[in-house]
């Protein structure tokens, strides 16, 4: 529409159709197609974030805003320190949905009874083997039975894994075992360190199963579909041979031909060939969906054909029904029937299906594109997306692609998983190889090379996505190109992507292939990082660098290289403290990881100090009842248990358990939480028609949710309403009003409306100073953020008393000798240095140095950074000898730290709090030269 007028009759017709559709959204747009697509994309993104994914943001409800982390915070919080890949989990959920999609039951009732008997049988009992030929319906049977169990036995915990194509990610044994272990941990509320070493992971799984099953009230059923497709299944699934815990039952499905010999002794449920009734039912269902009527003679012919071992399985009959249904009433059914009857197995029937699709295409160009699409999907690791296909083949239009994919999906050749196109059944891929790749390995190599070139180009454009990290190293491995694989692994973002998604075993296997041991791998990564640091600039660049250092430290820790892990984790901590804020949640993350190394190193004193700091930051940033606080409590509890401090450990575990329970209740069904909250509020307001503290609190929580989703306009609306209601109901001096003021101030700070933020922070501070204890965390929170704002606005004189107050609050909260007090002293000293008040800064630095030395020892990096700051201060005051002496000591600490990793990383950033950053590299020689002058 242009200027409110409809441009054509077809648009008018469309608008009339839309007007009667519930929840339709119309976007007015005049201009280019790309701009219009962008408008629609933005609208969809907004709907998804606000209405569908609102539940993801509920963890921070009811707390002050301030330092918010980005919405891509890793899932690891749920499982302690274990990294988790959302794509792997989504793939399993989709595989389960697809497996259970069929409406036909195929006489499964008799099999359901047998499966139910297994669950009810007394222990000990070995795994049950569900066997059958390819396409016999094993996945369908198991998925249907899972649904029945979930419905009728809600106390039974069912863990399933559907293995896809051999050599795909879903068939990697270490990932499967890790996923099952984490699912068990999640359901038993247990957060414990889990090894990443693939061999240890497989070895320790029976112990985890025993331990976690004992905590579960009810039965546990583990189902692994197509277990024989797992790489080296018999070797990696040894735990199946061990006696299972009394409340655990295991069901696995296998192909008759590929079942390992040792497993054939287990109790077996073999799927019988389909009887004539089931064959008729399946074919009728497909024909009826297309309004195709078969004659009695045609039905009998089909029934006679589907009597051999290879033609009476569920996949073959389904495909046969779809082929006939596609002909419709217009085609020659008898002719198609004749062609089908010549196909004696599923692969040959798939071949007939493909050729019928080819014949329906209008040009040789489209037939060529069909071939390319199927072949490139076949040689990929986990599939290919539609957008990737269009980039790989620029001549492929959206219309042609949509038409081809519709036909291929309808005829069971392709399916979608995690947004990727892949083969729906193994037989479809076998058929494509026979049809298009009879020339052999050369053809396959050519298609692999095409994918290699595509993803290599993405890397050259700094587009490192989970897709390039998934595909490129795997393709180099298959090509046997160790040199390119090595270069790819040294791309820090490729390795980070694989590691952060929990693909530890895969990453390790690539390094083993290029012939590098753990130590040389660690050294190469560290060298690459030092090189990358030289080009890192700006806040965003430094935050990214800190993430890379943390990933390397965690990776080295998981490899058992504890001494090498310290330096990168320490470097990550330094950068985050400088680039962000000493009380930022990401600093807590660094402290937590560093503490984990000290725990494994059995340096419990160091670890306890770091965990306590991380706990303090998390409580201030998120509130005392946030899952991240629970994580720190769990870590401290585990530490105390190792030191035989059982009473302290138990107290912390109870506290953590309550937090996790509450968080789980708040998350509810994980579906549309924000939208439901909004509707609930509207109902409350309609029915009550009055202001209440609860309504005001709900408004505040909604404001926080929208703030965390970066929807600042909607957040401002709710936060303002909350503040107004609280002022009316509770009075303008109530602490709840201070919370609303603080949240609004944080929002204005985010929008760079600093004057508005300043006014609101000041009001919140006045209320909290009057209403709260002098060491209350909420008071400390407002003091800190107003002080940082003053500093940002250049109002240094107004910032000084607040930084001084921050020191007082920390002294009252933690005692005068706590490292947090030292950090607050350093922040104040930095401020004085910026104001050219070196005399006031000096005693503060010296006091902080004494606390750090007493807390951490003489050689701790924080001691070194404070010495460096003192060196700069002494240098600026003209005391060059003292400056040189202090700087030399600082460098000795730095060298001792970096020697642990076998390199000397130069640090261009200061570590403790808001510490003074050196604008140019400062060397001892430079100091001496100035001293002599």
């Amino acid at each position: 529409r242009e200027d409110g007028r409809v441009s054509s009759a077809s648009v008018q017709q469309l608008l009339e159709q839309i007007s009667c559709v519930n929840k339709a959204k119309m976007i007015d747009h005049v201009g280019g197609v790309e701009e219009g697509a962008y408008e629609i994309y933005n609208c969809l993104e907004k709907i998804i974030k606000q209405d569908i994914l609102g539940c993801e943001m509920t963890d921070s409800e009811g707390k002050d805003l301030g330092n918010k982390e980005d919405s891509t915070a890793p899932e690891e919080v749920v499982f302690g320190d274990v990294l988790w890949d959302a794509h792997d989990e989504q793939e399993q959920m989709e595989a389960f949905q697809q497996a259970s999609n069929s409406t036909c039951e195929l006489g499964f009732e008799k099999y359901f009874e047998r499966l139910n008997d297994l669950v009810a049988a007394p222990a000990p009992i070995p795994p049950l083997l569900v066997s059958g030929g390819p396409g016999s319906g094993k996945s369908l049977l198991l998925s249907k039975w899972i649904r029945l169990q979930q419905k009728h036995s809600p106390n039974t915990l069912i863990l399933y894994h559907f293995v896809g194509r051999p050599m795909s990610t879903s068939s990697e044994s270490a990932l499967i075992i890790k996923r099952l272990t984490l699912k068990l941990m999640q359901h038993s509320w247990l957060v414990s360190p889990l090894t990443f070493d693939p061999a240890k992971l497989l070895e320790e799984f029976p112990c985890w199963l025993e331990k976690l099953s004992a905590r579960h009230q009810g039965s546990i059923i583990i189902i692994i579909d197509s277990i024989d497709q797992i790489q080296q299944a018999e070797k990696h699934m040894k735990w199946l041979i061990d006696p299972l815990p009394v409340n655990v039952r295991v069901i696995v499905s296998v192909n008759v031909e590929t079942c390992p010999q040792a497993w054939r002794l287990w109790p077996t449920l073999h799927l019988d060939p389909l009887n004539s009734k089931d064959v008729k039912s399946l074919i009728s269902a497909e024909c009826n969906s297309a309004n195709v009527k078969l004659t009695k003679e045609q039905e009998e012919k089909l029934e006679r054909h589907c009597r051999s071992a290879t033609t009476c399985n569920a996949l073959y009959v389904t495909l046969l029904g779809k082929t006939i249904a596609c002909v419709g009433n217009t085609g020659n059914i008898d002719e198609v029937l004749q062609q089908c009857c010549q196909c004696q197995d599923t692969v040959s029937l798939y071949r007939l299906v493909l050729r019928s699709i080819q014949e329906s295409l209008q040009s040789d160009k489209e037939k060529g594109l069909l071939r390319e699409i199927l072949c490139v999907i076949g040689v990929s690791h986990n599939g290919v997306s539609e957008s990737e296909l269009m980039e790989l083949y620029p001549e492929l239009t959206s219309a042609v692609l949509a038409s081809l994919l519709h036909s291929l999906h309808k005829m069971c050749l392709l399916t979608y998983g995690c947004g990727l196109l892949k083969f729906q059944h193994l037989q479809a891929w076998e058929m494509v190889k026979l049809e298009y790749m009879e020339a052999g390995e050369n053809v396959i190599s050519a298609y692999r090379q095409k994918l290699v070139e595509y993803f290599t180009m993405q890397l050259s454009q700094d587009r490192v996505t989970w897709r390039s990290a998934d595909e490129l190293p795997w393709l180099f491995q298959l090509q046997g190109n160790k040199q390119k694989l090595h270069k790819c692994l040294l791309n820090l973002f490729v390795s980070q992507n694989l590691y952060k998604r929990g693909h530890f075993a895969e990453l390790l296997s690539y390094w083993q292939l290029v012939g590098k041991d753990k130590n040389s791998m660690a050294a190469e990564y560290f060298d690459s990082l030092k090189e990358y640091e030289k080009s890192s600039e700006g806040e965003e660049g430094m935050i990214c660098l800190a993430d890379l250092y943390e990933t390397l430290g965690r990776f080295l820790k998981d490899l058992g290289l504890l001494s090498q892990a310290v330096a990168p984790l320490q470097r990550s901590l330094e950068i985050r403290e400088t680039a962000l804020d000493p009380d930022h949640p990401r600093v807590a993350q660094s402290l937590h990881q560093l503490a984990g190394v000290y725990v494994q190193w059995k340096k419990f004193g160091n670890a306890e100090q770091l965990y306590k700091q991380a706990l303090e930051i998390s409580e201030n940033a998120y509130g005392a009842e946030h899952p991240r606080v629970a994580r720190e409590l769990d870590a401290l509890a585990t530490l105390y248990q190792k030191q035989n401090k059982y009473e302290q450990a138990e107290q912390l575990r109870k506290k953590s358990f309550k937090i996790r329970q509450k968080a789980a209740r708040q998350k509810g069904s994980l579906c549309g939480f924000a939208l439901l909250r909004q509707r609930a509020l509207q109902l409350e307001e309609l029915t009550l028609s009055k202001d209440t503290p609860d309504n005001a609190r709900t408004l505040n929580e909604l404001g926080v949710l929208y703030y965390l989703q970066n929807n600042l306009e909607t957040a401002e609306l709710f936060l303002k309403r909350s503040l107004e209601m609280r002022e009316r109901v509770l009075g303008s001096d109530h602490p709840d009003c201070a919370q609303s003021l603080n949240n609004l101030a944080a929002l204005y700070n985010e929008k760079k409306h600093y004057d508005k933020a300043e006014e609101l922070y000041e009001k919140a501070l006045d209320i909290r100073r009057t209403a709260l204890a002098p060491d209350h965390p909420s008071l400390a929170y407002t003091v800190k953020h107003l002080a940082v704002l003053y500093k940002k606005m250049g109002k240094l004189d107004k910032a000084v008393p607040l930084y001084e107050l921050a020191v007082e609050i920390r002294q009252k909260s933690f005692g005068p000798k706590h490292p947090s007090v030292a950090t607050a002293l350093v922040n104040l000293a930095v401020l004085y240095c910026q104001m050219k008040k070196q005399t006031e800064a000096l005693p503060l630095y010296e006091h902080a140095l004494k606390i750090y030395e007493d807390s951490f020892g003489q050689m701790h990096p924080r001691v070194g950074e404070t010495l460096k700051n003192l060196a700069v201060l002494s240098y600026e005051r003209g005391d060059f000898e003292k400056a040189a002496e202090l700087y030399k000591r600082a460098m000795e600490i730095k060298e001792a730290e970096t020697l642990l990793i076998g390199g000397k990383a130069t640090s261009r950033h200061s570590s403790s709090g808001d510490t003074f950053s050196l604008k140019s590299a400062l060397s001892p020689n430079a100091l001496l030269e100035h001293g002599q002058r």
Side-chain angles (χ1 to χ4, degrees), residues 791 796 799-800 803 826-836:
K791 196 167 143 191
L796 303 185
V800 168
Y803 274 105
V826 169
N827 290 343
L828 181 55
V830 170
L831 189 63
Y832 280 136
C833 284
Q834 287 178 322
M835 297 170 75
K836 308 298 181 194

Side-chain angles (χ1 to χ4, degrees), residues 47 104 344 422 481 548 737 755 826 851:
I47 291 166
C104 291
Q344 294 303 313
K422 47 187 78 178
N481 195 329
L548 288 169
C737 293
D755 291 336
V826 169
I851 294 172

Side-chain angles (χ1 to χ4, degrees), residues 616-898:
E616 178 204 341
I617 292 170
S618 297
E619 284 179 334
N620 284 338
Y622 296 110
E625 296 190 332
H626 192 276
R628 295 199 181 212
V629 173
R631 179 177 79 156
E632 304 307 336
L633 291 168
D634 279 322
L636 264 173
T638 304
L639 179 67
Y640 287 144
Q641 200 163 334
K642 286 179 185 290
Q643 296 172 283
N644 300 326
K645 297 177 181 177
Y646 298 115
E647 196 173 324
Q648 287 168 275
E650 188 58 27
Q651 285 175 349
L652 294 176
R653 285 209 191 284
K654 281 179 180 174
K655 196 174 174 183
S656 163
F657 183 77
K658 282 180 183 174
I659 294 170
R660 292 183 187 280
Q661 250 188 341
K662 186 177 179 182
R665 280 198 298 270
Q666 284 174 341
K667 278 196 172 182
S669 62
L670 283 177
C671 184
F673 183 88
L675 187 65
L676 292 172
R677 262 290 166 88
Q678 197 170 346
R679 288 176 183 162
L681 179 68
Q682 287 164 354
L683 286 171
E684 279 182 53
E685 289 179 326
L686 282 170
T687 51
L688 298 174
S689 300
K690 62 181 180 182
D691 296 342
T692 67
D694 281 346
N695 271 357
R697 188 185 68 252
T698 307
L699 285 163
N700 180 69
E701 289 170 359
L702 278 166
V704 172
L705 284 169
Y706 283 113
Y707 177 94
L708 290 170
Q709 293 167 38
N710 217 24
N711 186 346
L712 301 184
E713 284 69 28
T714 310
E716 183 178 357
L717 185 76
F718 281 116
L719 291 172
K720 276 183 173 177
R721 287 177 63 197
S722 170
L723 174 61
E724 289 161 6
M725 193 179 287
R726 280 173 165 171
E727 285 177 337
R728 286 195 297 270
V729 175
L730 304 168
S732 57
D733 293 334
H734 194 277
D736 283 3
C737 293
Q739 185 192 49
S740 291
L741 287 163
N742 200 93
N743 289 347
L744 262 174
L747 184 140
Y748 288 132
N749 187 24
E750 180 87 358
K751 293 172 82 172
K752 297 187 168 48
H753 296 171
Y754 298 133
D755 291 336
K756 284 185 179 179
E758 178 186 4
E759 182 189 346
L760 296 172
Y761 272 138
E762 285 174 347
K763 282 184 182 177
L765 182 60
D766 289 341
I767 295 170
R768 285 178 166 174
R769 266 182 156 157
T770 306
L772 303 176
D775 59 348
H776 196 282
S778 294
L779 176 60
Y781 205 77
T782 306
V783 166
K784 181 186 78 174
H785 288 290
L786 182 54
V788 171
L789 181 64
Y790 282 148
K791 196 167 143 191
K792 195 185 290 183
M793 296 171 76
K795 298 183 177 183
L796 303 185
D797 289 330
K798 293 183 86 169
V800 168
L802 292 180
Y803 274 105
E804 288 174 340
L805 182 57
V807 174
E808 287 175 32
I809 291 171
R810 290 196 182 193
Q811 284 175 332
K812 286 172 183 169
S813 298
F814 305 109
K817 295 180 181 180
H818 194 276
S820 291
V821 175
T823 302
L825 289 166
V826 169
N827 290 343
L828 181 55
V830 170
L831 189 63
Y832 280 136
C833 284
Q834 287 178 322
M835 297 170 75
K836 308 298 181 194
K837 294 184 177 181
Q838 280 82 1
T839 309
E840 285 88 340
L842 182 63
L844 297 171
Y845 273 134
E846 288 172 341
H847 189 181
L849 178 65
K850 178 78 169 69
I851 294 172
Y852 281 142
E853 285 178 333
D854 290 347
S855 299
F856 299 129
Q858 298 278 334
M859 295 300 287
H860 193 274
R862 290 221 172 167
V863 173
E865 293 296 340
T866 311
L867 286 166
K868 192 163 70 175
N869 288 330
L870 273 169
V872 174
L873 192 58
S874 301
Y875 177 77
E876 289 180 346
R877 296 177 74 217
D879 192 347
F880 302 126
E881 283 187 26
K882 186 176 182 184
E885 181 193 332
L886 290 166
Y887 193 77
K888 186 182 175 187
R889 268 193 69 198
M891 287 300 99
E892 284 170 359
I893 293 170
K894 189 68 186 172
E895 283 169 16
E897 172 201 346
T898 53

